[in-house]
Amino acid sequence: MNQIASVFRRPGHKALIAYVTVGYPSIEATLEVVPILAGNGCDIVELGIPFSDPLADGATIQKASFQALQNGVTPLICLDIAAQLSRRVSIPLMFMTYFNPVLSYGLEKFSRDCASAGIHGLIVPDLPPEEGTELEAATRKHGIDLVYLLAPTSTDERIHLVASQSRGFIYLVSITGVTGARNALSPDLGAFVARVKKIASQPVCVGFGISTPEQARQVAEIADGVIVGSRIIQLMETRNEAMTELSDFIRDLRSAIDSRRD
Amino acid sequence: MLPDERGYFGSYGGRFVPETLVPVLDELTAAYQQCQADSTFWDEFESLSRDYSGRPTALYYARKMSERCGGARIFLKREDLAHTGAHKINNALGQGLLARRMGKHRIIAETGAGQHGVATAAVCAMLGLQCIVYMGEEDMRRQSPNVFRMKLMGAEVRPVSSGSRTLKDAINEAIRDWVTNARDTYYLLGSVVGPHPYTVMVRDFQSVIGKEVRWQILEKTGRLPHHIVACVGGGSNAIGIFYPFLNDRNVGLIGVEAGGRGLETVEHAASLMAGRVGVLHGAKSYVLQDDQGQIRETHSISAGLDYPGVGPEHSYLKDIGRVRYLAVNDDEALAGFQLLCQTEGIIPALESAHAVAYAARLASSVDKEQIIVVNLSGRGDKDLNIVTEALEGDK
């Protein structure tokens, strides 16, 4: 069975998905942190390949991407790190990046190299399904799930489109906005998730702006998975203490998600 | 007719944007299609173009510059005389009217040299719309007079400190604002770049330049020009003057990119000459990028050309060979700037000085019967500090 799909087939289990930018604050930090994420209850880790112009990202991930690029991180290095990590953790790993680095690498070659590095899925926030035909074919050929996104502005017509194309799960952007920690969830989130679930048969995971265990619990009550990114990046900024702080945070997210009332 | 319904010119263009914006772009496309078919929209556009922007702008025979070059007759399309000092007002006015019609009262824009920001600020003041302009800190420094102009007209100028702190980063920040405020905000993009339908809308509003040149040159010379020369950053003034001549095969079209400190260095902004196909700011086009697909920092003496991408229609026109693209370096642009000041008493924008410089080179190599039209896309008052610094640096 495909590894991403298997995450969502455990009865009564809701997925916790973590995002880290590869090479932030250092390449060693990425190699250290992913096993910690896996060991404390994450079901999937998204590895961000940094891009110079991350226009869907807020200040936290912009800064992390910039620093990672300063550290010399390239798609090739990300593939190498993914290969090392996929031997060390048993949870599925995905890449999240913008389209240009993938296009530059070559869609077919990138998909093939992802597969050999043990990557199971790919999220490209500036690639809507209308533009994704070629990458869909290339990733499918190599057994990689290309995950599409939906946003609160998406019409029912677009939900149908994404539901017909997205593989692995559907990534719901919880708010109209860029990535980054927010104080509260959007009051419209429940209706939005319900609108998607009525149409789509894939698991639905919610990201953007989720930064506390309480928010994670609320999301887990309505969706199949919770995606946390910027808050993890923030906790990695001060690395020494942060590894304990970070593992505590992940455990808190996990128990909040598991304590939900369905 | 290009682009196709997905916004592609051949293999260039499209909509590479976050999902949040796709429905917004659908709405914009539908609203613009309605306007295209509505004569009252164009009546208002034309009436304001005349009475507010000062159109038609003159087509001026630059006799003394032509004599100095010793060859072809050079005509200048005087977009520098349009209100706010550049061709940018054409697009700002068109999109401003569209935004008002769509009921969007919060307008955001990016600006490089400040010309688009000033034009947008002016139109927003006139139409009673809120105006927020994103501008790179580096550009705010080198184009400070335009920052003051925008503020005078009621716009809020938000400094952008990420990346190279120039136009590219201002566009990133404007897109982030747009994603966040997608429902009530209109993004008034300033060039023929970005996701569909911007490349079409901006071209349509700017093609007034070429339409005027056609009747003006026929009136003055009884024939179409042999060559039309325009500078290309994102490429809106160039598309504006080229587009109505695309089917006139005998009219040579020449786009001049910013060669900066030379194409052999990395300090230039010549996307078509030295870039490769990529995706930047929502469209597939030639992009200056490193071998990992990271967007490169660029350099040009002219802030308005200092951009690592280019409109997808230019990429298409390059590939099919309809337009010839080349680059002019900072030094040659400065020489063109001085040439026009001295021979005609006209101070061009440094962007336009790239086109002037190439036209001078071309004019001296062809015979006197030939006619060259140069798009003098903007005036140079904003550039006086940069030019002073550059010329004093030479001493």
Side-chain angles (χ1 to χ4, degrees):
Chain A
M1 192 197 297
N2 174 301
Q3 279 218 35
I4 290 177
S6 68
V7 167
F8 298 99
R9 296 209 183 143
R10 289 163 58 187
H13 183 80
K14 298 288 174 97
L16 173 58
I17 303 174
Y19 167 92
V20 292
T21 302
V22 176
Y24 179 81
S26 66
I27 288 173
E28 299 71 46
T30 305
L31 288 168
E32 258 173 69
V33 79
V34 173
I36 291 174
L37 296 170
N40 286 286
C42 287
D43 298 293
I44 297 174
V45 173
E46 291 174 17
L47 298 168
I49 302 177
F51 178 52
S52 54
D53 293 77
L55 49 75
D57 284 303
T60 303
I61 294 177
Q62 280 180 53
K63 187 180 143 197
S65 304
F66 180 79
Q67 184 60 48
L69 289 172
Q70 295 288 104
N71 293 344
V73 173
T74 63
L76 211 54
I77 288 176
C78 294
L79 283 160
D80 178 53
I81 289 174
Q84 294 185 46
L85 286 169
S86 63
R87 286 192 294 269
R88 289 168 56 185
V89 299
S90 56
I91 59 168
L93 302 176
M94 306 177 71
F95 273 146
M96 181 157 186
T97 191
Y98 289 83
F99 190 53
N100 200 55
V102 178
L103 183 65
S104 171
Y105 197 97
L107 307 186
E108 163 68 25
K109 187 162 168 268
F110 185 76
S111 305
R112 188 192 62 210
D113 290 356
C114 280
S116 8
I119 288 288
H120 292 91
L122 180 61
I123 303 166
V124 186
D126 61 344
L127 190 76
E130 286 89 340
E131 305 291 357
T133 314
E134 281 175 67
L135 188 58
E136 255 174 64
T139 47
R140 193 185 289 274
K141 186 174 151 197
H142 293 282
I144 310 281
D145 286 338
L146 181 62
V147 172
Y148 284 118
L149 299 88
L150 283 168
T153 52
S154 302
T155 56
D156 283 357
E157 194 188 346
R158 297 196 57 74
I159 297 174
H160 277 287
L161 176 67
V162 165
S164 71
Q165 307 291 331
S166 193
R167 301 199 302 271
F169 59 89
I170 296 175
Y171 191 134
L172 260 62
V173 177
S174 74
I175 30 110
T176 56
V178 294
T179 58
R182 306 273 195 304
N183 290 332
L185 294 173
S186 157
D188 305 328
L189 184 62
F192 173 38
V193 173
R195 202 153 60 88
V196 175
K197 288 200 136 260
K198 223 168 112 186
I199 294 169
S201 56
Q202 295 96 325
V204 165
C205 300
V206 178
F208 281 45
I210 300 166
S211 59
T212 68
E214 174 54 21
Q215 290 169 344
R217 187 190 58 77
Q218 289 170 22
V219 169
E221 281 176 4
I222 52 175
D224 304 298
V226 181
I227 307 169
V228 180
S230 294
R231 184 70 195 131
I232 293 174
I233 300 288
Q234 284 168 357
L235 288 171
M236 288 181 71
E237 276 166 17
T238 48
R239 188 149 69 96
N240 287 341
E241 315 102 279
M243 288 300 183
T244 30
E245 220 182 311
L246 182 63
S247 39
D248 289 350
F249 175 64
I250 300 297
R251 271 200 306 276
D252 290 348
L253 288 174
R254 178 79 264 164
S255 56
I257 291 170
D258 293 344
S259 75
R260 75 192 183 276
R261 306 174 307 267
D262 281 329
Chain B
M1 260 283 277
L2 291 177
D4 65 18
E5 60 181 18
R6 292 175 57 229
Y8 275 88
F9 304 86
S11 56
Y12 302 109
R15 272 184 187 170
F16 295 83
V17 294
E19 170 66 22
T20 312
L21 294 178
V22 178
V24 178
L25 290 166
D26 282 338
E27 181 197 0
L28 179 59
T29 306
Y32 182 60
Q33 275 167 354
Q34 276 187 354
C35 287
Q36 274 178 312
D38 182 349
S39 62
T40 62
F41 178 82
W42 295 101
D43 288 348
E44 188 174 16
F45 178 67
E46 278 161 27
S47 141
L48 285 168
S49 291
R50 185 182 63 235
D51 300 336
Y52 185 72
S53 311
R55 303 208 71 88
T57 58
L59 183 70
Y60 167 69
Y61 173 40
R63 183 184 305 273
K64 197 143 161 273
M65 177 182 163
S66 303
E67 282 167 7
R68 177 77 70 89
C69 296
R73 282 184 288 165
I74 299 168
F75 289 79
L76 305 174
K77 178 58 174 167
R78 297 294 306 276
E79 291 301 295
D80 61 318
L81 296 178
H83 179 48
T84 68
H87 72 290
K88 294 291 186 188
I89 193 74
N90 304 324
N91 169 52
L93 179 61
Q95 288 197 58
L97 291 171
L98 176 62
R100 191 182 62 179
R101 188 175 268 234
M102 291 174 75
K104 306 223 176 190
H105 295 283
R106 181 178 182 270
I107 308 293
I108 57 170
E110 82 297 338
T111 198
Q115 294 301 96
H116 174 59
V118 169
T120 304
V123 166
C124 287
M126 188 257 297
L127 295 177
L129 304 168
Q130 184 194 357
C131 180
I132 295 159
V133 180
Y134 289 92
M135 188 170 189
E137 277 179 348
E138 168 65 13
D139 288 337
M140 288 180 74
R141 186 190 62 77
R142 56 181 169 170
Q143 308 274 231
S144 56
N146 275 342
V147 175
F148 189 53
R149 283 190 187 101
M150 285 183 265
K151 289 180 177 169
L152 280 175
M153 293 185 286
E156 179 192 342
V157 182
R158 293 192 182 166
V160 176
S161 58
S162 56
S164 54
R165 294 173 292 133
T166 60
L167 179 56
K168 163 179 89 80
D169 310 286
I171 297 180
N172 289 340
E173 213 47 47
I175 293 176
R176 290 186 187 113
D177 179 319
W178 192 28
V179 169
T180 307
N181 303 290
R183 290 192 178 95
D184 64 352
T185 292
Y186 185 95
Y187 180 21
L188 207 160
L189 185 51
S191 193
V192 286
V193 301
H196 178 63
Y198 283 100
T199 54
V200 187
M201 290 195 304
V202 180
R203 177 187 76 191
D204 289 354
F205 294 131
Q206 292 295 2
S207 61
V208 63
I209 304 171
K211 286 180 198 154
E212 287 174 8
V213 167
R214 176 178 281 275
W215 63 257
Q216 288 171 318
I217 198 76
L218 285 171
E219 208 173 81
K220 284 185 195 309
T221 69
R223 56 154 302 149
L224 295 181
H226 296 79
H227 313 276
I228 298 177
V229 183
C231 65
V232 179
S236 70
N237 90 81
I239 283 289
I241 198 167
F242 292 164
Y243 188 66
F245 293 94
L246 286 181
N247 294 325
D248 300 296
R249 292 286 159 182
N250 295 326
V251 179
L253 305 173
I254 301 151
V256 183
E257 295 195 288
R261 300 198 170 96
L263 293 192
E264 69 284 1
T265 73
V266 293
E267 293 181 273
H268 60 77
S271 318
L272 291 161
M273 301 295 295
R276 61 193 174 89
V277 176
V279 166
L280 175 66
H281 296 145
K284 192 183 276 187
S285 196
Y286 281 89
V287 176
L288 288 169
Q289 53 185 315
D290 68 14
D291 54 7
Q292 307 295 331
Q294 307 296 344
I295 309 305
R296 268 193 19 213
E297 296 207 350
T298 52
H299 163 80
S300 169
I301 191 168
S302 127
L305 302 183
D306 200 353
Y307 179 64
V310 66
E313 190 163 14
H314 285 293
S315 295
Y316 172 74
L317 293 170
K318 174 194 158 86
D319 282 7
I320 64 166
R322 177 61 188 99
V323 179
R324 191 155 63 90
Y325 295 91
L326 45 87
V328 156
N329 296 358
D330 287 352
D331 290 346
E332 195 180 353
L334 267 174
F337 179 94
Q338 290 173 284
L339 174 71
L340 197 63
C341 291
Q342 289 159 9
T343 56
E344 298 292 345
I346 296 171
I347 302 175
L350 277 172
E351 290 79 17
S352 322
H354 286 72
V356 170
Y358 179 72
R361 203 202 300 171
L362 175 65
S364 58
S365 69
V366 298
D367 69 58
K368 286 189 159 43
E369 297 314 305
Q370 299 225 355
I371 296 166
I372 301 173
V373 173
V374 181
N375 199 3
L376 196 65
S377 54
R379 70 177 184 222
D381 311 49
K382 69 185 175 65
D383 293 320
L384 297 184
N385 289 339
I386 299 170
V387 173
T388 310
E389 264 175 49
L391 294 179
E392 280 174 356
D394 285 350
K395 279 178 189 164

